[in-house]
């Protein structure tokens, strides 16, 4: 899910299916009392249903599966000056 931005995600993260929730990135407490919150809640429910379906279709665990860990990208240089 993308809740703020995806510019700083590692390269391999962009290979995944993303759900863009930036529209609802509102930290104000009154957001929960708005009509937009209902839309946000419904979108999260759809994502939860999709995840439940994916989990149901996942193969059973096998201890002989190889574990692969992606090599992290080098850290990006800051665009802000160092003080």
């Amino acid at each position: 899910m993308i809740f703020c931005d995806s510019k700083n995600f590692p390269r391999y993260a962009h290979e995944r299916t993303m759900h863009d929730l930036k529209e609802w990135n509102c930290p104000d407490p009154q957001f929960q009392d708005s009509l937009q919150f209902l839309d946000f809640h419904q979108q999260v429910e759809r994502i939860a249903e999709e995840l439940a379906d994916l989990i149901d279709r996942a193969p059973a665990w096998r201890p002989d599966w190889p574990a692969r860990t992606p090599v992290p990208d080098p850290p990006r240089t800051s665009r802000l000056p160092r003080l």
Side-chain angles (χ1 to χ4, degrees), residues 7-37:
K7 294 181 229 169
N8 298 308
F9 286 7
R11 183 181 66 253
Y12 63 86
H14 292 278
E15 298 169 3
R16 309 288 191 259
T17 301
M18 301 276 193
H19 292 280
D20 190 348
L21 301 178
K22 290 184 288 192
E23 175 183 348
W24 299 289
N25 183 1
C26 182
D28 302 323
Q30 59 269 31
F31 174 64
Q32 292 186 19
D33 295 329
S34 71
L35 290 176
Q36 275 190 311
F37 186 77

Side-chain angles (χ1 to χ4, degrees), residues 2-78:
I2 302 172
F3 194 62
C4 187
D5 73 29
S6 60
K7 294 181 229 169
N8 298 308
F9 286 7
R11 183 181 66 253
Y12 63 86
H14 292 278
E15 298 169 3
R16 309 288 191 259
T17 301
M18 301 276 193
H19 292 280
D20 190 348
L21 301 178
K22 290 184 288 192
E23 175 183 348
W24 299 289
N25 183 1
C26 182
D28 302 323
Q30 59 269 31
F31 174 64
Q32 292 186 19
D33 295 329
S34 71
L35 290 176
Q36 275 190 311
F37 186 77
L38 179 59
D39 294 335
F40 170 71
H41 188 271
Q42 290 171 340
Q43 182 65 25
V44 170
E45 283 183 336
R46 280 192 286 276
I47 293 169
E49 289 171 6
E50 181 181 327
L51 285 172
D53 181 52
L54 289 170
I55 290 168
D56 287 343
R57 292 187 289 144
W61 170 253
R62 288 182 29 196
D64 62 332
W65 279 342
R68 296 190 309 172
T69 304
V71 177
D73 293 338
R76 297 177 186 227
T77 54
S78 174

